[in-house]
Amino acid sequence: MAFARAARRPLGVFVYSASRRFSCGNEYSTTVASKFESLSQYKSSVPSGYANPVRGFGNFMRSFSSEAPAVVDQMSLIKQLRQRTSAPIKDVKASLVECNWDIEAAQKDLRKRGKVLASKKSSRTAAEGMLAVAQNEGKVAVIELNCETDFVARNDIFQYLALAMAKRALLVENSSQQVPGVFPFGPELFEELKLNLDHPKVNGETTVSNAATEVAAIMGENVKFRRGFLMSKSSAGVLSAYLHTSPQPGLGRLAGIVSLEVEGGNTQLEAVQRVGSELAMHVVAAKPLFLSKDLVSSEALANEREILKSQAESTAKSQMAVEKMVEGRLRKYFEDVALMEQKFIVNDSINIKTLVDNLSKEVGSPVKVVDFLRVEVGEGIERLEASDEPVAQTA
């Protein structure tokens, strides 16, 4: 009740009353004075061999403050290891603590842990990524390195690995190197080959497979080499490559490669290279499936003929009219799928056959398209989005 009455008193009255208790020589001030006197007597009575409690508290505070630089050092180590590995900060700290703040041992520990994590992610669909292209005097190599998201595909470490793999692919040995054409290869041939990496976060000699696993650990995604292609040329040939949506030289999501051959030697190499570059770009845009109509597979031709015949018969016209409709629509089919029959994307008034004939006249020697290649990131990979643990499938 007394407290309730005091609570209702004006604040100024309460403060004035309290100040009087502290300032006046009443019972309260006498008690406080006696407490301080007792404390002084206790301090003087403590033997020299015993720790002074007041001094002990000060020593404790000083010892606590002396550990502050160690905390700063720890933060610096965490930052350094994070920069080296790009691993999640909680994993970085856990490894440093486990390795007694030895940064080299912690980095090794993170790599070991990363490989375990990467193996767990290896069953997840990796349909994004980059194509990397490398070229030397007689060959062009293109490889596809996959990941799960476009965000990782734009990462500097991922792109560095893709380019390193493309350069290594130029050294792949194959039995058909002497024959101009396209040589495809998969993980079974390439993944155990050695890479010599020189990146701040992935370096040293390692295999393609281990390098992909290490980058997967850093990125936190499934990273895998899917496939590669080598295209070689004859001594009188020219190889031209084009990359679409290219973030930097040698990288892109779509690649077109064309092999041209000039009979009698390269008299005007510059003109051949110019047209070759245009043809490589055309291949990316027009998506040809065959080099010429003569090379359309019998199976593809039979399937298309059956579809066109069924469509023509639905018009209820005579059998002769149906046959003419089928043949007319087949010509349109060849223009869609055969490179030499396609309209040139730069000038649709001519087809590719006419373009090559005009080039032959310009250089004064017959020119022919020997082969072509079109590759797109993720083509043929089925995305199983409804599944909790999707499995990557390749074409």
Side-chain angles (χ1 to χ4, degrees):
M1 292 296 292
F3 176 77
R5 284 195 299 271
R8 289 196 295 268
R9 294 167 64 188
L11 181 61
V13 175
F14 177 79
V15 172
Y16 174 74
S17 175
S19 63
R20 283 179 58 82
R21 289 180 60 89
F22 278 91
S23 61
C24 297
N26 56 17
E27 179 185 354
Y28 180 81
S29 60
T30 305
T31 305
V32 171
S34 63
K35 294 289 185 184
F36 276 107
E37 184 179 357
S38 300
L39 179 60
S40 300
Q41 292 174 357
Y42 171 76
K43 288 172 63 178
S44 61
S45 64
V46 174
S48 59
Y50 290 88
N52 189 319
V54 178
R55 188 184 300 119
F57 180 76
N59 290 339
F60 167 75
M61 291 301 294
R62 281 192 295 275
S63 65
F64 179 79
S65 62
S66 68
E67 290 181 2
V71 174
V72 173
D73 290 342
Q74 291 171 8
M75 293 302 296
S76 176
L77 288 170
I78 291 172
K79 184 178 179 181
Q80 289 178 45
L81 189 55
R82 166 84 169 155
Q83 289 173 344
R84 285 191 192 183
T85 63
S86 294
I89 195 164
K90 64 177 183 179
D91 295 336
V92 168
K93 184 176 180 181
S95 288
L96 281 167
V97 170
E98 187 171 327
C99 299
N100 199 24
W101 299 94
D102 183 332
I103 191 168
E104 300 300 333
Q107 183 174 353
K108 187 175 181 180
D109 179 63
L110 274 176
R111 292 179 67 179
K112 289 180 180 178
R113 292 189 190 194
K115 291 182 180 181
V116 174
L117 293 173
S119 67
K120 290 179 181 178
K121 295 178 174 67
S122 62
S123 63
R124 295 184 347 200
T125 301
E128 294 294 333
M130 277 288 165
L131 301 175
V133 172
Q135 186 170 359
N136 62 16
E137 187 67 25
K139 288 188 290 186
V140 171
V142 55
I143 65 97
E144 180 178 355
L145 184 64
N146 293 127
C147 57
E148 296 176 47
T149 64
D150 184 59
F151 177 78
V152 167
R154 297 194 302 269
N155 185 275
D156 170 63
I157 305 171
F158 183 90
Q159 293 183 0
Y160 173 83
L161 177 60
L163 286 170
M165 289 168 61
K167 292 172 184 175
R168 180 62 183 84
L170 286 173
L171 305 177
V172 169
E173 298 292 335
N174 67 84
S175 57
S176 60
Q177 275 188 340
Q178 289 73 31
V179 181
V182 179
F183 171 69
F185 57 92
E188 66 283 349
L189 174 66
F190 193 57
E191 285 193 331
E192 295 308 313
L193 296 180
K194 296 290 185 180
L195 287 175
N196 199 350
L197 303 175
D198 186 21
H199 188 277
K201 295 180 181 177
V202 281
N203 51 70
E205 189 177 69
T206 184
T207 63
V208 169
S209 178
N210 286 342
T213 301
E214 187 169 344
V215 171
I218 294 172
M219 298 292 101
E221 285 192 9
N222 184 15
V223 173
K224 62 192 302 182
F225 164 72
R226 183 188 176 200
R227 56 182 177 166
F229 301 90
L230 276 174
M231 182 180 281
S232 54
K233 69 177 185 68
S234 66
S235 58
V238 172
L239 289 170
S240 299
Y242 169 76
L243 279 162
H244 190 62
T245 59
S246 177
Q248 62 171 293
L251 292 171
R253 289 184 56 83
L254 281 160
I257 305 172
V258 174
S259 174
L260 296 175
E261 190 172 277
V262 184
E263 189 177 308
N266 300 330
T267 54
Q268 295 187 43
L269 192 60
E270 201 172 297
V272 178
Q273 289 174 335
R274 184 194 73 244
V275 173
S277 297
E278 292 176 344
L279 275 173
M281 184 170 60
H282 171 94
V283 164
V284 167
K287 303 180 182 180
L289 301 176
F290 307 96
L291 179 58
S292 66
K293 65 180 182 179
D294 299 329
L295 296 176
V296 175
S297 68
S298 56
E299 182 181 357
L301 189 57
N303 288 338
E304 188 64 22
R305 189 182 290 276
E306 183 181 346
I307 293 170
L308 294 176
K309 186 177 180 180
S310 177
Q311 292 173 347
E313 287 175 344
S314 66
T315 63
K317 294 185 177 181
S318 66
Q319 188 63 33
M320 185 177 295
V322 166
E323 291 297 329
K324 287 183 178 179
M325 289 174 67
V326 170
E327 292 305 315
R329 291 177 181 179
L330 273 177
R331 284 194 293 273
K332 180 65 173 66
Y333 170 71
F334 289 140
E335 289 180 5
D336 288 339
V337 300
L339 175 63
M340 301 304 291
E341 305 299 321
Q342 289 180 332
K343 298 292 184 182
F344 185 33
I345 60 167
V346 177
N347 179 9
D348 61 5
S349 65
I350 61 173
N351 62 14
I352 300 302
K353 185 177 183 303
T354 303
L355 175 71
V356 176
D357 289 342
N358 292 341
L359 176 63
S360 299
K361 293 174 184 177
E362 182 180 350
V363 300
S365 299
V367 180
K368 68 175 181 178
V369 180
V370 178
D371 217 332
F372 74 92
L373 176 66
R374 183 185 187 277
V375 188
E376 184 174 352
V377 168
E379 60 185 345
I381 297 179
E382 184 179 355
R383 293 167 172 82
L384 305 180
E385 295 177 353
S387 173
D388 291 333
E389 287 294 333
V391 179
Q393 298 187 15
T394 58

